[in-house]
Amino acid sequence: MSTAPALDPTHTALLVMDYQPAILAFVPEGEDRDALLGRVAGAIADVRAHGGVIAYVRVGFTEADWDAIPASNKSFAPLAQHRVMHHKDPAAAVHERLAPQDGDIIVRKTRYGSMSTTDLDQQLRGRGITTLVVCGISTSGVVLSTVIDAADRDYQLYVLSDGVADPDTEVHDILLHKVFPARAHIIDTTELRALLRAG
């Protein structure tokens, strides 16, 4: 049984981050992408059913965004150079199995973290959200950046251990077991369902 505190769904948002075809392509072949998508789709349905907020975060660039990335940015300069992940490219859309609905939050970002280049924090606070349940691709990218940032912003945090994946399984394991527990409760989608019911 989870030792994580129960969730109050009315103050909870599920962050669905970087679940885009171009990024899912980097999930290791050993990871069953269909199963991963199925678990996240289930988590979305559970949070919706209990009255929580769903917030989608996706990476996508305009021409101006690419032009604004300095050559010194080790991660993003190559994307700008090769004009990768245009915001209107279907590969940069939210995966069709997790499609947003009316009333969901949707933000487009141009860096790793979900809040540094978006108004996500303001939108969440505007809805009275104090608790975040985090899932995303990849554990060492958007999930790491968002967990550290959101912890500094005093959100109560949960990371869905079976809703995150990373091209580097060793780094993924270290983050889940050694880094994230200092800032977040580590739960899986089954525990999420139980915590929502208990809330």
Side-chain angles (χ1 to χ4, degrees), residues 6-174:
L7 289 159
D8 178 351
T10 60
H11 295 289
T12 298
L14 174 64
L15 299 191
V16 181
M17 306 185 301
D18 294 11
Y19 267 91
Q20 301 160 262
I23 296 172
L24 274 163
F26 290 102
V27 173
E29 285 303 322
E31 286 275 347
D32 187 332
R33 287 177 206 153
D34 280 343
L36 181 63
L37 286 163
R39 289 192 298 270
V40 173
I44 291 169
D46 289 339
V47 172
R48 279 196 206 289
H50 288 86
V53 169
I54 311 297
Y56 292 88
V57 179
R58 70 182 189 101
V59 60
F61 301 94
T62 63
E63 292 286 338
D65 293 330
W66 281 323
D67 291 342
I69 296 172
S72 59
N73 188 316
K74 193 172 179 183
S75 297
F76 287 87
L79 298 180
Q81 181 184 350
H82 298 290
R83 296 310 209 227
V84 178
M85 297 292 288
H86 188 274
H87 72 106
K88 290 186 177 176
D89 186 332
V94 174
H95 193 281
E96 60 186 8
R97 283 185 63 185
L98 310 179
Q101 296 181 8
D102 289 345
D104 293 342
I105 294 172
I106 308 168
V107 297
R108 180 179 65 83
K109 67 189 177 89
T110 57
R111 295 295 187 274
Y112 279 120
S114 61
M115 296 180 185
S116 64
T117 60
T118 73
D119 67 349
L120 179 61
D121 186 40
Q122 297 93 306
Q123 289 202 55
L124 293 168
R125 295 196 190 279
R127 298 194 191 199
I129 298 300
T130 56
T131 298
L132 302 179
V133 180
V134 177
C135 62
I137 312 290
S138 67
T139 319
S140 62
V142 65
V143 180
L144 174 61
S145 290
T146 298
V147 165
I148 289 173
D149 190 5
D152 282 353
R153 295 172 193 252
D154 299 327
Y155 284 98
Q156 182 175 38
L157 290 169
Y158 297 74
V159 173
L160 284 182
S161 60
D162 58 350
V164 297
D166 195 89
D168 187 326
T169 53
E170 184 182 1
V171 170
H172 169 85
D173 289 341
I174 288 169

